[in-house]
Amino acid sequence: MNFSTLAALDHQYLWHPFTQQQEWVAQEPLIIVSGKGAFLRDIHGNDYFDGNSSIWTNIHGHAHPRIVEAIADQAARLDHTSFLGTTHPTAILLAKKLIELFPAGTLSRVFFSDNGSSANEVALKMTLQYWQLVGHPERSRFVSFTNAYHGDTVGAASLGGRNTFSQRFSQIHFSVEQVSSLRMLEEIPHPQTIAGIILEPLIQGVAGMRPWPPGMLQAIRKFCDEHDILLLLDEVMTGFGRTGRMFACEQEGVFPDFLALAKGLSGGALPIAATLTSEKIYEAFLGTIREEKTFYYGHSYTANPIAAAAALASLAIFEEESVLEKLPSKIQFFSHSLKKLASLPHIGSIRQCGLIAGIELMEDPLGGIAYPPARRQGAHLCHAARQYGLLTRPILDTIVLMPPLCSTEEEIDYALNALVTTVLTHNQRY
Ligand SMILES: *Cc1c(COP(=O)(O)O)cnc(C)c1O
């Protein structure tokens, strides 16, 4: 099928996520037909650096032979079997590998699901049930951080930041208390009835790539320990090397009671998610059926073998290609390259954590004046960047640059140069 046929069919049959369809159908769609390493190719043969790792999922590049082979092998052997009542070797090995990434006595159990929102909701439900099972049903409050993002399903969205997108659904959200700082958290009344605190460790993603002050995570862990509150960490974005360590929580030597993983778990190839927890939590759920301690939750595709095989291959690549060992110099190079942007017009703050960067565009950075939201400067700039071979998406007026971990220094340089050119030629116009 040629471009115009596909474009017409897309416009006729599809409804894209987070997309104003009226605007979408008025434009030519970008039809991606292949991917190799850190690049994606469109139907016309144009290549783009995957500047946001395909919405923060890709780790080792597209079509990594190791992952492709693992998927093909697994699909030929066993495509799917229900995890309700049976098990299979690939998920067993994957769970073992995941737990071996953590020190003994911290996280020791894996509950699979298939996206980040679900991984967080599993942690929420386990937290609530845990307190009921250990005789503390009064612990039922959840605390999250202002502008947080934990997913789009109703439960996960209840935890997230309150904005114009989510406000519309507020009637069906459950009530969550939000704090904006450690100080607000420490002053929260009746901590003895808080069940759990959830946050994105080290850096908030959807909030605009906003790093927390150093030491924040340790302080929150301390607060949780003092008040016997469970700590839920959402590493859906930060997991699997993004911040320079395998998991962001390791950067402050903190281990949570629940850890949610998704996006990068399969290396970016297939949807799979996991909620990790400790033996203390797991054991509270043990009992006879009649004691009604069972965790009644699951999805049809829980621990899908093909997705689990991709995840296992991704973890093997981390070892075989010394992915973590190569990160410090890449991250340093990334910081250095980002400096090229600092002196350009209309660039506000540049925020970075590992291979994650948020570049904020501003009408007048010195005067602290943002662009009028209606101008949609971030969206226009990202659209313009395509013609220089860079594909990414903004968060309002913050340009996200999140190269796949496999990106070479040359490729990072290519992405930054494309962004510099875009800023120089397009940051005034709209
Ligand atoms: C993307 C994301 C989620 C949601 O994951 P989905 O797989 O899109 O449901 C949750 N938390 C964080 C921090 C994320 O970045």
Side-chain angles (χ1 to χ4, degrees):
M1 261 191 234
N2 64 18
F3 172 76
S4 46
T5 310
L6 285 167
L9 292 173
D10 178 291
H11 289 169
Q12 185 178 352
Y13 291 113
L14 283 168
W15 190 338
H16 289 264
F18 281 96
T19 300
Q20 175 43 257
Q21 286 289 129
Q22 185 174 309
E23 185 180 78
W24 175 263
V25 299
Q27 293 172 356
E28 291 202 335
L30 179 58
I31 303 179
I32 301 294
V33 292
S34 63
K36 190 97 200 107
F39 285 83
L40 292 166
R41 177 169 293 175
D42 74 12
I43 194 165
H44 309 295
N46 301 310
D47 289 324
Y48 306 89
F49 180 80
D50 189 357
N52 73 347
S53 292
S54 293
I55 206 79
W56 320 353
T57 58
N58 195 280
I59 302 287
H60 308 297
H62 296 276
H64 191 292
R66 191 86 165 70
I67 294 180
V68 172
E69 196 192 323
I71 289 173
D73 275 6
Q74 182 65 56
R77 248 179 308 124
L78 171 69
D79 48 8
H80 189 58
T81 180
S82 170
F83 225 51
L84 289 71
T86 65
T87 189
H88 61 86
T90 317
I92 295 169
L93 287 176
L94 176 57
K96 176 177 183 285
K97 281 277 176 200
L98 283 173
I99 293 308
E100 284 171 357
L101 297 171
F102 296 90
T106 60
L107 299 165
S108 58
R109 291 279 162 181
V110 180
F111 189 98
F112 285 114
S113 59
D114 33 51
N115 60 76
S117 313
S118 297
N120 283 321
E121 291 200 15
V122 166
L124 275 181
K125 290 193 173 184
M126 282 182 174
T127 299
L128 201 62
Q129 185 168 338
Y130 169 80
W131 287 119
Q132 292 167 6
L133 294 178
V134 299
H136 287 289
E138 76 284 2
R139 284 205 186 255
S140 59
R141 294 157 65 208
F142 284 95
V143 176
S144 68
F145 281 81
T146 323
N147 300 323
Y149 181 75
H150 299 292
D152 273 349
T153 53
V154 174
S158 304
L159 298 165
R162 316 269 151 82
N163 53 41
T164 45
F165 306 136
S166 66
Q167 206 49 46
R168 191 181 292 287
F169 305 113
S170 58
Q171 291 140 298
I172 53 170
H173 287 160
F174 74 90
S175 98
V176 171
E177 287 157 75
Q178 294 205 319
V179 293
S180 56
S181 64
L182 182 62
R183 197 155 147 226
M184 251 183 100
L185 178 65
E186 286 168 347
E187 289 171 358
I188 205 163
H190 313 298
Q192 71 281 6
T193 58
I194 297 174
I197 296 172
I198 184 164
L199 83 151
E200 300 153 85
L202 241 52
I203 179 169
Q204 285 189 317
V206 172
M209 301 306 168
R210 295 184 188 276
W212 292 115
M216 175 87 167
L217 192 55
Q218 273 186 359
I220 292 174
R221 177 76 264 186
K222 189 162 163 273
F223 177 81
C224 287
D225 289 343
E226 280 166 8
H227 298 281
D228 212 12
I229 296 168
L230 297 179
L231 178 61
L232 287 61
L233 292 184
D234 175 353
E235 292 227 29
V236 172
M237 175 183 79
T238 54
F240 303 102
R242 275 287 159 218
T243 71
R245 298 284 294 267
M246 196 57 150
F247 300 104
C249 63
E250 293 172 55
Q251 306 265 19
E252 295 201 7
V254 163
F255 295 96
D257 299 287
F258 292 96
L259 185 73
L261 301 172
K263 291 190 169 105
L265 175 52
S266 66
L270 286 166
I272 183 167
T275 307
L276 275 52
T277 191
S278 67
E279 223 52 16
K280 175 182 98 168
I281 304 291
Y282 173 76
E283 282 171 0
F285 287 69
L286 300 178
T288 63
I289 296 287
R290 287 172 59 184
E291 285 178 89
E292 293 183 346
K293 292 180 172 181
T294 309
F295 186 58
Y296 287 109
Y297 185 96
H299 292 283
S300 329
Y301 280 101
T302 294
N304 172 255
I306 305 175
L312 210 45
S314 173
L315 293 181
I317 296 167
F318 269 100
E319 287 174 26
E320 291 162 9
E321 297 184 10
S322 308
V323 172
L324 293 178
E325 290 77 357
K326 290 176 189 159
L327 283 178
S329 63
K330 279 187 195 184
I331 292 169
Q332 206 178 3
F333 184 80
F334 190 45
S335 308
H336 173 77
S337 307
L338 282 166
K339 290 202 178 86
K340 292 186 196 177
L341 290 163
S343 58
L344 302 187
H346 304 287
I347 300 289
S349 70
I350 298 175
R351 301 180 286 270
Q352 187 206 351
C353 177
L355 285 181
I356 305 171
I359 300 131
E360 192 170 343
L361 309 173
M362 292 185 95
E363 175 99 68
D364 174 11
L366 289 178
I369 300 165
Y371 278 114
R375 183 166 156 168
R376 300 177 62 226
Q377 188 68 5
H380 288 293
L381 214 73
C382 286
H383 202 274
R386 291 180 188 179
Q387 69 193 85
Y388 308 107
L390 172 66
L391 191 61
T392 189
R393 257 183 91 82
I395 298 167
L396 301 174
D397 285 339
T398 296
I399 308 290
V400 173
L401 212 50
M402 197 192 281
L405 268 51
C406 67
S407 308
T408 61
E409 290 189 3
E410 289 72 29
E411 288 166 344
I412 291 172
D413 205 39
Y414 172 91
L416 259 303
N417 287 339
L419 195 53
V420 167
T421 310
T422 312
V423 168
L424 285 175
T425 42
H426 294 268
N427 206 12
Q428 321 284 344
R429 286 194 237 136
Y430 58 98

